């Protein structure tokens, strides 16, 4: 059975009781649908093989295609086994939280990286989402759709066969967020993989090229 929690808006998120219930589900390796900075996403523990496999099944996603991981604070980089240089981590600490997804090298593969030695990580701008992850640890975050299908900007857009097979959904109404900027920090110099919001990406890129 899928539990649904209302949220007055994306910024406020669900109430404290709902967050506690969601955290309990996630810690038990369950999968939930949450609003993010961009679109609605499927979420589960980044270090859980069970959650990673379940999300892949729901999306019809290839087993070797990695997920984006959301973290609560830069301290979580160590938990994910990130091996980036101190210059890169210092730059990211200054830039986050923001709509910036950083592809970083990791020491060993984790469930969310799907066998890869790199991981795409973002610290989201939404305070309630970061607060949730202080209790659950870093989360896999991937759009709620079958692979190749349209993303969901509101709960009504979510395919029933996905919505009915997760443990919980937070409904904060329509979302009009822009895709995050993606920068690959495993290359030297770093490379811009996706621009996201133009003004943000250009400002970010200028700072990165000066700092790194």
């Amino acid at each position: 059975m899928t539990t649904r929690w209302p949220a007055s808006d994306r910024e406020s998120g669900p109430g404290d009781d709902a967050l506690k219930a969601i955290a309990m589900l996630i810690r038990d390796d369950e999968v939930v649908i949450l609003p993010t900075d961009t679109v609605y996403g499927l979420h589960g523990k980044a270090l859980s093989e069970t959650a990673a496999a379940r999300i892949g099944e729901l999306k019809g996603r290839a087993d070797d295609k990695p997920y984006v991981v959301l973290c609560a604070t830069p301290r979580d980089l160590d938990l994910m086994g990130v091996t980036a240089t101190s210059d890169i981590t210092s730059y990211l600490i200054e830039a986050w939280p923001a709509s910036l997804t950083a592809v970083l090298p990791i020491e060993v593969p984790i469930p969310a990286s799907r066998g890869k030695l790199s991981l795409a990580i973002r610290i989201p701008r939404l305070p309630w989402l970061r607060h949730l992850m202080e209790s659950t640890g870093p989360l896999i975050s991937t759009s709620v759709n079958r692979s190749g299908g349209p993303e969901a900007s509101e709960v009504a857009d979510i395919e029933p066969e996905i919505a009915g097979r997760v443990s919980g959904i937070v409904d904060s109404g329509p979302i009009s967020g822009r895709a995050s900027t993606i920068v690959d920090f495993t290359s030297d110099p770093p490379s811009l993989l996706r621009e996201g919001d133009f003004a943000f990406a250009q400002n970010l890129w200028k700072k990165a090229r000066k700092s790194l």
Side-chain angles (χ1 to χ4, degrees):
M1 179 178 178
T2 302
T3 303
R4 297 193 178 222
W5 297 277
S8 57
D9 55 52
R10 183 178 50 156
E11 299 294 326
S12 302
D16 289 342
D17 289 343
L19 283 177
K20 289 177 183 177
I22 293 164
M24 185 176 297
L25 289 171
I26 291 172
R27 288 196 298 268
D28 287 340
D29 295 331
E30 300 289 342
V31 175
V32 297
I33 293 173
L34 305 173
T36 70
D37 304 74
T38 54
V39 293
Y40 280 89
L42 292 162
H43 295 80
K45 284 195 303 187
L47 294 175
S48 168
E49 291 283 4
T50 300
R54 180 67 174 149
I55 291 172
E57 177 191 359
L58 288 168
K59 287 183 67 75
R61 189 183 183 99
D63 290 343
D64 62 349
K65 188 174 181 181
Y67 297 110
V68 170
V69 168
L70 300 183
C71 292
T73 76
R75 293 189 298 274
D76 289 333
L77 296 181
D78 289 337
L79 185 61
M80 297 294 95
V82 169
T83 58
T85 66
S86 58
D87 285 345
I88 291 173
T89 54
S90 294
Y91 169 75
L92 292 172
I93 288 170
E94 183 178 345
W96 280 329
S99 186
L100 164 64
T101 300
V103 180
L104 300 167
I106 54 176
E107 189 173 7
V108 295
I110 64 170
S113 74
R114 313 290 267 175
K116 302 293 192 298
L117 284 171
S118 62
L119 190 64
I121 295 176
R122 184 166 81 253
I123 296 181
R125 185 180 51 80
L126 300 175
W128 69 265
L129 190 50
R130 298 198 304 272
H131 179 63
L132 173 67
M133 290 187 290
E134 290 173 359
S135 176
T136 64
L139 298 178
I140 290 168
S141 182
T142 182
S143 58
V144 185
N145 56 283
R146 297 290 292 176
S147 288
E151 298 176 342
S153 59
E154 57 184 305
V155 168
D157 295 336
I158 300 171
E159 297 177 43
E161 56 267 36
I162 294 179
R165 295 173 63 196
V166 298
S167 296
I169 299 174
V170 172
D171 187 350
S172 64
I175 294 176
S176 58
R178 299 287 299 275
S180 67
T181 296
I182 302 178
V183 178
D184 184 356
F185 289 95
T186 66
S187 62
D188 187 15
S191 57
L192 184 65
L193 301 184
R194 185 174 72 193
E195 191 170 79
D197 178 81
F198 177 78
F200 173 79
Q202 291 302 308
N203 185 49
L204 179 81
W205 196 234
K206 288 178 183 177
K207 289 182 178 179
R209 293 177 71 85
K210 290 178 179 178
S211 302
L212 302 174

